[in-house]
Amino acid sequence: MVMRLSETTKLCLAFGDCNTEGFRTLEGPVWAKQVANALGHEFTNCGHTMSTTRELLQYAAAFPPSEYALVFIQYGLVDSWLTFRGAPYVLYYPDNPRRKLARKLVKKLKKWARHLQLQKRLGAVEQVPLEEYIKNVRSVLKSAPDSQFVLVATAPNRDTSRNPRILRYNAALANLANAENNVLYADAWDELWGNLEACLMDDGTHLTEQGHRIVADCVRKTLSPEVLR
C-alpha cells in the first residue's frame, strides 16, 4: 500500500551511504537530489560515506523523518561487508576527534587481522548482521507513520564476491517494504548491472553520473502519479 504526499509539505530527506552522499569526483546531482528536484521538494541529504544503518539511527534522531513528506533510505553496501567476528565498530556520525582517532586504530587492527586471516580463524560476519540491519530500518519506518518512505536497493559491485550478500540485503529490504503501509521499494539492479562499466566508477563501487541518473529514474517510476497527487 502507498501513501499520497501532502500538497503543502514539500520536504524530502535522504539517508544513505556514499552513493547517497555522492563521491567527490561526481559531476551533477546525486540520485536523491534529482528526484527531489523533479518533485519540486526542498531536499536534505544525510548521506555519509562508509555509513551503515547504525549511523541511520543517529541521523534519524537528529533529522526526524516525521518532519518530512518523503524519505529515502539507502544502506547495505557497508552493512553487508564481511569482517571478522567480534570486530570493533566506530560510528561515522556524529563525528568527533576521538572517534576519528578510534577509526584509525580500528583500520590498523583490521589490516593486521587480514594479515593473520582472522576471518578464517574467528569466523566471518557482516559488518551489520542482516537481522540488525532490518531492525534498524524498521525502527525508523515506525517512527514516522505519516511519511512516505522509499527503500532504495544497493547497487551491484564490480567485486562480484560482494554481490550475493548485497542481493540478500536488498531482498530483505523488499520484504520489509511489502510489510509496511507507508513504504515503497526501488531496485535499479538489473539496469545498473547491464551497464556496469558506464554506471560505476573505476573503484567499482561509486555510482557515476549515469548510474545516479538510472537510480533516480527508478525511484521516480516507483513514485507513481497516484502517490504524488
Side-chain angles (χ1 to χ4, degrees):
M1 182 178 177
V2 295
M3 302 174 65
R4 291 184 178 181
L5 304 186
S6 169
E7 288 291 340
T8 58
T9 307
K10 300 289 187 179
L11 300 178
C12 179
L13 175 66
F15 298 118
D17 55 33
C18 57
N19 279 326
T20 295
E21 179 183 23
F23 194 63
R24 62 180 180 274
T25 60
L26 176 68
E27 296 182 4
V30 298
W31 62 267
K33 176 64 171 172
Q34 293 180 44
V35 177
N37 287 347
L39 298 175
H41 279 45
E42 182 180 334
F43 178 62
T44 300
N45 192 345
C46 290
H48 196 137
T49 187
M50 292 299 295
S51 64
T52 70
T53 53
R54 292 170 182 164
E55 279 79 12
L56 166 64
L57 298 179
Q58 303 298 317
Y59 268 115
F63 299 85
S66 59
E67 297 179 3
Y68 296 81
L70 179 61
V71 184
F72 305 126
I73 296 179
Q74 182 269 305
Y75 292 94
L77 182 66
V78 184
D79 297 76
S80 64
W81 176 261
L82 279 185
T83 186
F84 63 91
R85 189 175 299 279
Y89 185 81
V90 182
L91 287 169
Y92 279 77
Y93 178 87
D95 212 358
N96 57 54
R98 289 184 178 180
R99 280 183 173 165
K100 289 179 180 178
L101 176 60
R103 284 198 300 273
K104 289 182 179 180
L105 296 175
V106 168
K107 286 180 180 178
K108 290 183 179 180
L109 172 62
K110 289 184 176 180
K111 184 177 180 180
W112 172 74
R114 287 193 296 272
H115 178 71
L116 295 180
Q117 298 184 319
L118 288 188
Q119 283 194 16
K120 292 182 179 179
R121 297 183 181 189
L122 300 179
V125 294
E126 291 87 358
Q127 186 70 71
V128 179
L130 184 59
E131 182 177 353
E132 179 188 349
Y133 170 80
I134 292 300
K135 179 181 177 182
N136 292 342
V137 176
R138 182 182 286 114
S139 70
V140 175
L141 301 180
K142 295 295 187 183
S143 73
D146 295 326
S147 298
Q148 176 65 65
F149 287 90
V150 181
L151 305 183
V152 181
T154 296
N157 200 279
R158 287 192 192 182
D159 178 357
T160 56
S161 67
R162 300 183 65 178
N163 289 336
R165 292 189 303 279
I166 292 174
L167 284 168
R168 190 161 64 94
Y169 279 58
N170 284 349
L173 271 190
N175 290 336
L176 179 58
N178 287 334
E180 301 293 337
N181 289 334
N182 60 329
V183 185
L184 299 167
Y185 176 68
D187 188 350
W189 179 284
D190 289 342
E191 189 170 358
L192 292 171
W193 181 256
N195 300 275
L196 209 58
E197 291 300 314
C199 290
L200 292 182
M201 294 183 180
D202 291 340
D203 59 23
T205 294
H206 297 101
L207 292 171
T208 63
E209 183 179 0
Q210 180 173 337
H212 278 277
R213 185 167 59 253
I214 286 174
V215 175
D217 288 344
C218 177
V219 174
R220 282 199 296 267
K221 291 175 182 176
T222 301
L223 289 166
S224 64
E226 290 75 16
V227 177
L228 300 177
R229 280 205 291 260

